[in-house]
């Protein structure tokens, strides 16, 4: 089940936690004075978590756009919040992958991620000092984008299935960018040429690496959880 940020009236979902220049941060959703949930940022101040006000910024909901955060990472002094923007208007509703980038004091900018899918969302993000890799799904397929120096570009990756529950953060495995999906593992040194391997059985729910070893945690059809490893 989803986790509400601090629970209670007006609470939205928890997107993630981060530390920016020594400052602990919580990112999630929360109601404000207008319809819909804003993307909310809490800072740890003394013994309290204090929600910051971002009314009128790119983090706020409007009458024709609702922001939904799913994950957060730190890029230098900025937060990079992945998610999707739900667009309202013209008699239809559609979701489009987006990220929100800004410092703790702002300014904040929404960047719509390129693509022509009918529905898409960004589900995970990681940054390594040179670039951020955003992963998500578009019409049921795994997709990825890079963010560097404020510019976003799609990353051509192998055709892999994706669902919200198994879109994982990109992992650096033995010096290679690695994407783990339910139907395979793709790895690349340059983000253009990819090697595709058969992945472990089950649905991947977490992945990490330690040097040349990739670890993947999966859930099986019978509900059991397994830990897999591979040496690269």
């Amino acid at each position: 089940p989803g986790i509400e940020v601090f629970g209670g009236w007006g609470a939205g979902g928890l997107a993630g936690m981060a530390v920016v220049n020594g400052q602990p941060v919580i990112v999630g959703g929360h109601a404000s004075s207008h319809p819909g949930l804003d993307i909310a940022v809490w800072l740890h101040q003394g013994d309290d978590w204090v929600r910051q006000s971002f009314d009128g910024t790119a983090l706020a909901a409007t009458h024709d756009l609702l922001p939904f955060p799913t994950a957060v990472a730190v890029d230098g002094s900025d937060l990079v919040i992945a998610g999707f923007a739900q667009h309202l208007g013209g008699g239809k509703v559609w979701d489009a992958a987006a990220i929100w980038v800004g410092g703790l004091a702002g300014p904040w900018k929404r960047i719509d991620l390129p693509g022509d899918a009918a529905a898409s969302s960004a589900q995970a993000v990681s940054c390594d000092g040179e670039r951020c890799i955003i992963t998500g799904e578009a019409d049921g397929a795994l997709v990825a984008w890079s963010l560097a120096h404020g510019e976003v570009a799609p990353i051509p990756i192998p055709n892999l299935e994706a669902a919200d529950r198994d879109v994982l953060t990109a992992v650096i495995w033995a010096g290679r960018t690695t994407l783990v999906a339910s139907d395979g593992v793709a790895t690349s040194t340059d983000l253009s040429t990819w090697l595709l391997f058969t992945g472990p059985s089950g649905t991947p729910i977490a992945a990490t690496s330690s040097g040349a070893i990739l670890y993947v945690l999966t859930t099986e059809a019978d509900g059991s959880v397994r830990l897999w490893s591979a040496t690269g």
Side-chain angles (χ1 to χ4, degrees):
I3 299 175
E4 291 183 343
V5 182
F6 297 115
W9 182 260
L14 172 68
M17 303 181 69
V19 177
V20 183
N21 295 331
Q23 170 67 64
V25 179
I26 290 175
V27 175
H30 201 278
S32 64
S33 59
H34 43 74
L37 299 179
D38 293 345
I39 295 177
V41 176
W42 288 261
L43 302 184
H44 193 235
Q45 298 176 349
D47 294 329
D48 301 317
W49 286 96
V50 180
R51 180 161 57 94
Q52 308 301 293
S53 175
F54 292 112
D55 278 353
T57 74
L59 299 183
T62 66
H63 71 280
D64 59 359
L65 188 145
L66 303 178
F68 288 88
T70 58
V72 62
V74 176
D75 185 24
S77 295
D78 286 341
L79 287 175
V80 180
I81 302 172
F84 61 94
Q86 187 170 85
H87 297 263
L88 315 172
K92 61 179 181 179
V93 178
W94 71 99
D95 298 338
I99 58 173
W100 290 262
V101 181
L104 296 182
W108 284 91
K109 177 182 180 181
R110 188 187 86 241
I111 302 175
D112 295 320
L113 301 178
D116 56 6
S120 62
S121 64
Q123 295 292 329
V125 56
S126 61
C127 303
D128 63 8
E130 295 184 6
R131 66 172 64 87
C132 298
I133 303 295
I134 304 115
T135 51
E137 65 89 19
D139 292 344
L142 184 69
V143 288
W145 302 267
S146 66
L147 169 69
H149 309 295
E151 299 294 327
V152 168
I155 299 174
I157 63 174
N159 185 23
L160 294 169
E161 293 183 2
D164 288 354
R165 65 183 181 181
D166 64 10
V167 176
L168 304 184
T169 304
V171 174
I172 302 301
W173 173 33
R176 305 185 301 270
T177 299
T178 302
L179 306 176
V180 178
S182 58
D183 58 344
V185 175
T187 184
S188 174
T189 58
D190 58 7
L191 300 183
S192 60
T193 301
W194 294 82
L195 295 176
L196 185 60
F197 301 95
T198 300
S201 65
T203 299
I205 57 174
T208 190
S209 66
S210 177
I213 303 177
L214 175 69
Y215 296 96
V216 179
L217 196 67
T218 67
T219 55
E220 304 299 313
D222 62 3
S224 63
V225 177
R226 291 185 179 179
L227 177 63
W228 305 76
S229 66
T231 302

